[in-house]
Amino acid sequence: MNFKPEVSIVVTTYNREKLLPETIQSILNQTYKNFELIIVDNYSDYDFLNLMENIKDDRVKYFQNKNDGIIAVNRNFGINNSKGKFIAFCDDDDLWLPN
């Protein structure tokens, strides 16, 4: 990523193979573009890395991190890997409107 995003969006996820792509697309479709999207997976039971490799957008960064059932662990992991001035959270089953 060659730019400094103003907003870092953190999505934590676990076993949402069918819902996560739609959540990601709703974020990428935002009219505001100066953001990075950080997705932190708690080692889901499907091939999360393969799913992420199909997303062709330089603003997307993805990680796997064990959280032992405490979602705040992965939210904090996402924050620690962010570069934005502001942080936003989105759940892995939520959708954002374009604007």
Side-chain angles (χ1 to χ4, degrees):
M1 185 177 307
N2 295 332
F3 72 99
K4 172 94 168 125
E6 187 164 23
V7 179
S8 296
I9 303 164
V10 177
V11 175
T12 57
T13 188
Y14 180 68
N15 284 342
R16 297 292 185 132
E17 180 177 16
K18 294 187 184 338
L19 296 173
L20 183 60
E22 192 174 358
T23 297
I24 292 168
Q25 196 58 55
S26 79
I27 294 169
L28 295 178
N29 288 342
Q30 294 296 296
T31 56
Y32 182 81
K33 300 294 184 192
N34 190 8
F35 66 84
E36 66 179 346
L37 174 55
I38 300 168
I39 304 164
V40 185
D41 176 60
N42 184 30
Y43 287 92
S44 292
D45 294 336
Y46 67 94
D47 192 350
F48 168 79
L49 297 177
N50 184 54
L51 181 70
M52 293 298 101
E53 289 168 2
N54 291 319
I55 298 172
K56 306 299 183 206
D57 192 308
D58 291 339
R59 296 173 295 174
V60 178
K61 299 188 311 190
Y62 52 91
F63 305 91
Q64 287 189 299
N65 187 62
K66 202 68 154 153
N67 71 18
D68 296 319
I70 304 169
I71 196 169
V73 169
N74 281 352
R75 284 189 177 140
N76 288 336
F77 184 91
I79 291 169
N80 289 335
N81 283 281
S82 69
K83 296 191 177 0
K85 180 177 180 182
F86 301 102
I87 303 290
F89 296 104
C90 182
D91 290 332
D92 60 358
D93 62 348
D94 287 347
L95 300 176
W96 283 9
L97 297 174
N99 54 6

